[in-house]
Amino acid sequence: MKRIIFILAIALLMMGCASTQNAATTQAEIEQKINEQRYTFVAQSVVPTEDSRFNPRLMFPQGNNLYQLTSRYDLKVTPDSVTAYLPFFGRAFTAPLDPTKGGIQFTSTKFTYKKNIRKNNFHITILPQDVSEIQSIYLTISPSGYGSVQITSTNRTPISYHGIIETP
């Protein structure tokens, strides 16, 4: 019986070491992909700047301004393009001409990309130059792969997303 407990303890210890090694590999992969500008931010929740109790047209519970997303929405970053497919909850000052173009959807091929590291987090600023409605995109990415995105638009109120970073 003591031998079985000892073997189980060794096995659990080895699995713990393996998961620590996998976490380090993940952190190295994330850092490499951020440096290469090849990653995808997958939004899991959204935080509009306006509270829903001030806008009765929004069909969300009053007083709660963090909404979990049930579909896949993302922001893909590559060295030659930034592609966004994200939902929008908030106030839009102009309506889109095409009703299928709701949310924040764009592809930018001309943009500036600046990366800083502060307190072990990556702070990335993307300024699209060929998409007139998007002023700036700010990403904050932790070494473990969690991140947030803030988008400032010319025709809409600012909005934030929280999610994870996927590396292809």
Side-chain angles (χ1 to χ4, degrees):
M1 184 69 175
K2 289 181 181 180
R3 183 177 275 179
I4 292 173
I5 292 173
F6 179 74
I7 291 172
L8 285 174
I10 295 293
L12 289 173
L13 181 65
M14 295 175 97
M15 286 191 304
C17 292
S19 67
T20 304
Q21 184 178 6
N22 288 340
T25 303
T26 303
Q27 289 179 3
E29 286 177 1
I30 288 171
E31 184 173 358
Q32 177 185 1
K33 295 303 179 184
I34 289 172
N35 290 332
E36 293 175 355
Q37 297 181 21
R38 293 191 185 279
Y39 56 91
T40 301
F41 170 82
V42 179
Q44 295 175 332
S45 61
V46 59
V47 182
T49 55
E50 292 183 346
D51 197 342
S52 62
R53 69 181 140 202
F54 298 120
N55 189 349
R57 291 187 190 124
L58 292 178
M59 296 184 189
F60 296 110
Q62 292 188 358
N64 183 8
N65 57 350
L66 171 74
Y67 307 112
Q68 298 297 322
L69 299 174
T70 56
S71 298
R72 182 180 170 95
Y73 296 100
D74 57 21
L75 176 76
K76 295 179 184 177
V77 178
T78 62
D80 56 350
S81 69
V82 175
T83 304
Y85 178 68
L86 297 167
F88 179 77
F89 302 104
R91 183 171 294 176
F93 302 110
T94 60
L97 295 176
D98 185 1
T100 63
K101 299 292 182 187
I104 297 175
Q105 300 179 32
F106 68 88
T107 299
S108 175
T109 56
K110 186 178 178 184
F111 58 92
T112 60
Y113 183 93
K114 295 179 185 176
K115 177 188 67 147
N116 294 320
I117 299 174
R118 284 180 273 157
K119 296 183 181 178
N120 294 330
N121 289 330
F122 297 95
H123 295 270
I124 299 163
T125 302
I126 300 172
L127 303 172
Q129 298 169 353
D130 57 350
V131 179
S132 62
E133 64 186 48
I134 303 297
Q135 292 178 343
S136 61
I137 304 166
Y138 297 105
L139 289 96
T140 304
I141 301 170
S142 72
S144 59
Y146 292 99
S148 64
V149 171
Q150 292 84 32
I151 297 181
T152 305
S153 175
T154 56
N155 298 325
R156 300 175 182 186
T157 55
I159 191 164
S160 298
Y161 304 91
H162 301 286
I164 58 171
I165 299 299
E166 282 186 350
T167 56

